[in-house]
Amino acid sequence: MTARPDAAALAGLAGGHLDLARAPFTLPRSRVLVFRADREAAAELLGAGAAPVPATALRVHTSEYERGLDECRVLDELRVLDAAGEALPVTGVLPHAIEFGGGAAALGFAGAAALTVEASGDAPLSVEWRLPDGVRERRRLGGPGDAVRLTVGADRGVRAEASAAHLAELAESETVWLDWFAKCPIVRPELQPMAAFCWWVLGANIVELPALGAARGVVPSKIGYVGVWQWDAYFIALGLRHGDPALAREQLEIAFRFPSPDGQLPDVVHEEGVLATSDDLPQADRDRLRRAGSDIADPAAPVPLTKPPLAAWALAKVLEVEDRPEWAREQLAVIRRSQDWWFAGSDLDGDGLPEYGHPYSSGLDDSPIFDGPLPTTAPDLGAYLVLQDLELARLAERYGADAAGEPAAHRERAAATMERLLELWDAERGRFTARAAGERVVSDAIVGFMPLLTGELPAPVLAALEAALSDPARYATPWAVPTVSAADPDFSPERMWRGPVWVNTNRLIVEGLRRSERPELARELAERTVALVVHGGGPHEYFNPETGRKARTATTAFGWSAALFLDLAVELGADAEEDRGAGGADSAG
């Protein structure tokens, strides 16, 4: 059996990916991000497979809800200069420190809101920084141990002062990271470097949400996605459970913390409140929603904003690694009411199969299935509702009906929903299709594979979906599974949800294949998915299905991609151990 790497070795493996272009320098709970000053140009070179020249200037930002990096600039340039005034290059990055000039100076964190720079050698150095208004400041470092601390205020202002505690502060931030890496899941040796980086991503994306007291939210990305999105919380919890079950549970607690009186869960919990209806959207978004209205959805009324009902599935996964009966019962009471809300509050045409009233509620906002009028009846939503009722029935048998509801009632509703879901099967086209305000949508999109999650598809339907997954003209692209068929007119390999590969939809198809008793196909897709993340250079938001590289507009260091890489890698390792055990048993027999 492979020996477990120690925390320092895992931190070193993660450090190999900290390029300061696609992955910033940051600290768990901190809102400060440090990038190369030429981040965009360097990221483009890295994406093309070419290494940029070493950085000589850094840029510092804060991470804030609904604000881009350019709006959150703290320092436009931060440089370390030698005695001649020449900028020293960055020569090494570890999770806790950036090294300049081969060890002549080091930058690290002093708590969550400050950076320190120390001269490590005998030669005098200077630290120079330029503020967004163009003002430049410089501090001289006279020799070893001389350091300057730069504290970032809530207004993004910077206070500079001499520091005599640089080494202690550097050691403190190193301890934070070593404690984190001590929990890193151990996977197959060839996947361990990427697993260490993905574990870094989850740690780096931890933020504090002051309105929730001491709550730790693992956000999708500190680069533009600073909040706890309900769907993201479920996927992120799946990865966290393998190393930090308590933090995994905390993500679910945050997602479940603010149900509406009728049971609906909000789309996002963020530092300024929640996003739960279209009234919480900016005016431009509300105008777009009105233009997309229909006779079924009143465009003048607030539209609930939520995310797909995968809560019970995620809860069950988290409980697999650490059973907490009392905690589980508390969460199940919330999930049960949320499931009831879908049928009472989101079945807009009253036909027994709930619809998406807004693309945001699907998680696949830009999918072509939403190009028509709203609401949208979609096969993925029907499948999630069947899965959730089946999970609630199973969990009710385990933890009691008081919290989760009567198992028989959940199974009865799942069966009725399944009947309605099968009505979306288009036998002529050989796929599940969506309906926009009752009219069939012909788009060949990944939502059509989600009924695999029910584990109850008729044999001809299952065979057709398997054929689609293996068809190079549709879904068997060089890097699969694209979110829209390559044969569909709306296919675009770079446009969000209209062609790129997403790790979360692949993970759901893997789950669906397992539940549909296709374990070999599930394992094959799991292997291809972890290979995609390795090939693409990291857990990006989404990938080009033709090149396997980061799509141009995708965010990097993305939370659910990192979490689900870890989840798949751990499960693949467990499968391999099981195979070896079975082989040994066969040999012994």
Side-chain angles (χ1 to χ4, degrees), residues 102-432:
L107 178 147
F109 272 88
L115 299 168
T116 63
V117 185
E118 182 201 40
S120 305
D122 294 330
L125 302 172
S126 297
V127 180
E128 181 182 80
W129 59 93
R130 177 164 59 87
L131 300 169
D133 61 7
V135 172
R136 289 184 182 273
E137 297 187 33
R138 182 183 293 191
R139 289 293 178 96
R140 186 173 182 274
L141 304 180
D146 204 1
V148 60
R149 181 188 295 121
L150 304 173
T151 302
V152 180
D155 61 353
R156 304 188 203 109
V158 177
R159 184 179 79 251
E161 57 190 336
S163 172
H166 172 87
L167 291 178
E169 290 163 343
L170 198 65
E172 184 177 342
S173 61
E174 182 177 19
T175 297
V176 168
W177 277 117
L178 290 177
D179 288 346
W180 178 249
F181 280 107
K183 302 175 182 179
C184 179
I186 302 305
V187 300
R188 293 188 329 223
E190 76 275 16
L191 297 179
Q192 195 65 63
M194 184 55 69
F197 179 42
C198 288
W199 193 245
W200 175 89
V201 168
L202 294 177
N205 285 344
I206 297 172
V207 302
E208 292 181 343
L209 298 168
L212 305 184
R216 301 169 296 166
V218 182
V219 301
S221 173
K222 283 183 180 175
I223 311 169
Y225 291 93
V226 187
V228 177
W229 274 257
Q230 185 195 144
W231 216 25
D232 296 70
Y234 301 155
F235 295 127
I236 287 170
L238 258 66
L240 286 172
R241 67 187 174 129
H242 298 296
D244 195 336
L247 189 56
R249 292 193 295 272
E250 194 166 349
Q251 304 320 296
L252 300 186
E253 289 169 5
I254 294 171
F256 300 157
R257 191 163 177 170
F258 298 101
S260 65
D262 59 4
Q264 178 217 332
L265 292 172
D267 184 359
V268 192
V269 177
H270 55 83
E271 56 201 14
E272 298 171 12
V274 300
L275 176 64
T277 79
S278 54
D279 282 350
D280 300 325
L281 293 171
Q283 183 62 46
D285 285 346
R286 294 201 297 273
D287 291 342
R288 278 195 294 272
L289 180 63
R290 278 194 289 273
R291 289 195 295 273
S294 70
D295 292 338
I296 299 173
D298 179 359
V303 178
L305 301 180
T306 184
K307 278 292 183 282
L310 287 167
W313 174 69
L315 177 69
K317 293 288 187 185
V318 169
L319 291 168
E320 283 177 0
V321 299
E322 192 171 285
D323 193 20
R324 292 294 183 101
E326 289 303 317
W327 178 83
R329 292 184 188 100
E330 292 175 9
Q331 314 318 313
L332 282 168
V334 177
I335 297 171
R336 174 190 179 185
R337 294 187 64 241
S338 170
Q339 178 79 342
D340 290 344
W341 170 82
W342 277 101
F343 289 90
S346 202
D347 182 7
L348 302 178
D349 59 7
D351 70 347
L353 187 62
E355 300 90 25
Y356 290 126
H358 191 287
Y360 284 5
S361 295
S362 75
L364 283 70
D365 313 354
D366 297 323
S367 172
I369 70 168
F370 298 111
D371 287 353
L374 296 169
T376 301
T377 305
D380 60 328
L381 178 55
Y384 301 147
L385 289 166
V386 172
L387 173 65
Q388 181 134 288
D389 265 325
L390 293 175
E391 287 288 350
L392 282 169
R394 188 172 66 83
L395 292 166
E397 290 170 343
R398 181 174 175 182
Y399 295 108
D402 288 349
E406 289 296 333
H410 286 299
R411 290 198 172 94
E412 181 179 339
R413 186 165 60 186
T417 307
M418 189 70 196
E419 287 184 17
R420 301 310 313 273
L421 172 60
L422 288 172
E423 292 174 7
L424 298 180
W425 178 251
D426 186 329
E428 181 180 349
R429 292 183 172 89
R431 63 178 185 260
F432 283 95

Side-chain angles (χ1 to χ4, degrees), residues 26-45:
T26 189
L27 188 70
R29 297 177 179 258
S30 176
R31 295 298 188 94
V32 177
L33 305 176
V34 180
F35 290 98
R36 298 171 59 113
D38 60 347
R39 169 182 174 256
E40 291 185 0
E44 189 171 332
L45 285 169

Side-chain angles (χ1 to χ4, degrees), residues 474-552:
R474 292 177 66 195
Y475 288 98
T477 49
W479 297 92
V481 179
T483 40
V484 170
S485 163
D488 191 281
D490 288 315
F491 172 75
S492 171
E494 290 278 320
R495 189 174 171 188
M496 180 185 283
W497 294 121
R498 300 176 86 94
V501 181
W502 291 68
V503 177
N504 71 318
T505 46
N506 274 20
R507 175 66 181 86
L508 289 170
I509 294 173
V510 168
E511 183 78 10
L513 290 169
R514 289 173 179 159
R515 289 174 177 261
S516 297
E517 299 183 351
R518 296 296 186 272
E520 291 306 317
L521 287 177
R523 186 182 305 191
E524 178 185 343
L525 180 55
E527 291 283 9
R528 285 156 54 199
T529 303
V530 297
L532 169 66
V533 176
V534 173
H535 170 81
H540 308 309
E541 187 179 13
Y542 48 96
F543 300 78
N544 185 305
E546 295 167 349
T547 66
R549 298 291 180 183
K550 183 185 88 69
R552 186 179 58 81

